């Protein structure tokens, strides 16, 4: 009987080894010790982007725009970014800046790329009014993507949504500094989370009380095109850390800002960090610094005693290509380290490679400058030589 049991146990173990996807991502797995998270910046959709994605009069395909970063994104247990546009429907006419309204196919491509959580609190969230907020919320949730920051009811806004991955419980909150001059109607404050330190503290405490092991806060704040945090950003971050946040991520400046580590307050996590701005993940902003973004690929390990360790952070610089691809003009987010490959992507011209290299070094300088973290815990992805 004992030998039969051992044989069965051995066979099951072999099954697990050769079938790594046997355990679904969002189911509890007491034996899993690590989760990987990817965080990116602004997912924007200016009019040139949806025009190049146009496949017919009323049809669009944005999949090519994420094709070259999809293999990285889809490997993560949780991948999220700031969805900085509105899905109000074609009857409201598609448009880019200053008041966005994007084809639903953009969301489809975001999901296809591997993103499974979106921050929706940003300065463009109310571009199409209450109707736009509600439609966007419903379409994102209807696509099977979770979100934080905007809601279609007070009940949704007040609810505590904890994402549990491999036994680690995550609470994700999102807030924006502004709505481009718009003001939420009386009684409709639930539509968009605005930055209010009292509200942030209350929400963090609610999520911790509900069992969240880690609370991640995504802010949309700062000054556009400024590569260093403003005093306002630094003040908000200090108060948010004091309130109990474990990780703080942000966007809005449309350029990358610095990365800092901190010791979380009354937390299971040994080391937290703040990324003041993750830059543009995709947009039509074509100038230096704004054509760049970053994916932070970080791993959290659960120890035997239940404590959590920030095992490592991998910085993956990205750059947005715009040009001729497969016989048509196209946008594509590219890993900037590709510029140093012995055989760069076939469609890249000399000027593209030069800009990608500059983007890579800019990201490295901004994010690593003054960062206090063991070299074994942080790396920047790319096979590259020192900058001359």
């Amino acid at each position: 009987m004992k030998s039969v049991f051992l044989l069965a146990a051995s066979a099951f173990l072999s099954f697990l080894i050769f079938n790594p996807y046997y355990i679904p991502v969002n189911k509890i797995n007491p034996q899993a010790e690590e989760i990987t998270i990817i965080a990116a910046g602004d997912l924007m959709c200016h009019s040139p982007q949806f025009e190049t994605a146009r496949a017919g009069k009323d049809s669009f395909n944005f999949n090519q725009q994420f094709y070259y970063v999809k293999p990285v994104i889809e490997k993560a247990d949780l991948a999220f970014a700031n969805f900085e546009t509105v899905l109000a429907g074609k009857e409201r006419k598609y448009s880019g800046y200053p008041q966005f309204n994007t084809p639903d196919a953009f969301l489809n491509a975001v999901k296809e790329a591997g993103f499974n959580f979106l921050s929706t609190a940003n300065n463009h969230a109310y571009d199409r009014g209450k109707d736009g907020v509600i439609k966007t919320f419903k379409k994102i949730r209807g696509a099977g993507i979770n979100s934080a920051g905007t809601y279609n009811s007070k009940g949704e806004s007040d609810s505590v949504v904890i994402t549990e991955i491999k036994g680690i419980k995550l609470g994700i909150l999102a807030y924006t500094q502004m709505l481009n001059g718009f003001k939420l109607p009386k009684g409709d404050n639930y539509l968009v989370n605005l930055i209010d330190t009292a509200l942030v503290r209350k929400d963090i405490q609610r999520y911790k009380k509900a069992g969240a092991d880690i609370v991640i806060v995504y802010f949309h704040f700062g000054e556009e095109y400024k590569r260093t945090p403003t005093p306002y950003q630094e003040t908000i971050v200090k108060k948010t850390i004091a309130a109990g946040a474990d990780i703080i991520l942000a966007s809005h400046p449309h350029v990358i800002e610095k990365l800092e580590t901190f010791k979380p307050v009354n937390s299971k996590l040994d080391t937290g960090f703040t990324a003041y701005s993750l830059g543009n993940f995709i947009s039509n902003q074509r100038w230096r610094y704004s054509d760049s973004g970053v994916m932070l690929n970080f791993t959290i390990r659960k120890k035997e005693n239940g404590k959590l360790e920030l095992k490592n952070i991998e910085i993956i610089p990205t750059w947005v290509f715009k040009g001729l691809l497969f016989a048509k003009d196209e946008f594509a987010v590219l890993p900037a380290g590709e510029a140093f490959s012995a055989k760069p992507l076939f469609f890249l011209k000399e000027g593209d490679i030069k800009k990608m290299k500059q983007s890579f070094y800019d990201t490295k300088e901004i994010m690593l400058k003054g960062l206090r973290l063991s070299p074994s815990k942080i790396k920047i992805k790319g096979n590259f030589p020192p900058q001359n």
Side-chain angles (χ1 to χ4, degrees), residues 103-121:
D104 294 355
F106 185 68
L107 175 64
N108 299 338
V110 167
K111 179 180 179 179
E112 177 67 22
F115 288 106
N116 52 15
F117 202 108
L118 296 172
S119 167
T120 51

Side-chain angles (χ1 to χ4, degrees), residues 4 14 66 69 73 136 160 188 219 240 245 247 262 268 329 374:
V4 171
S14 297
F66 305 102
V69 287
I73 299 168
T136 303
V160 175
D188 286 346
F219 285 126
T240 303
I247 293 171
F262 62 85
K268 293 181 180 180
D329 282 335
S374 166

Side-chain angles (χ1 to χ4, degrees), residues 211-227:
D213 298 312
I214 293 175
V215 172
I216 299 173
V217 178
Y218 201 117
F219 285 126
H220 198 75
F221 64 1
E223 185 177 329
E224 290 186 335
Y225 316 118
K226 185 177 174 63
R227 300 191 299 279

Side-chain angles (χ1 to χ4, degrees), residues 11-38:
F12 182 66
L13 181 61
S14 297
F15 174 75
L16 288 181
I17 291 173
F18 293 104
N19 293 272
Y21 300 108
Y22 171 69
I23 301 171
V25 168
N26 286 323
K27 296 288 181 69
I28 297 175
N29 174 12
Q31 296 180 341
E33 295 185 336
E34 295 181 355
I35 62 171
T36 58
I37 300 174
I38 279 185

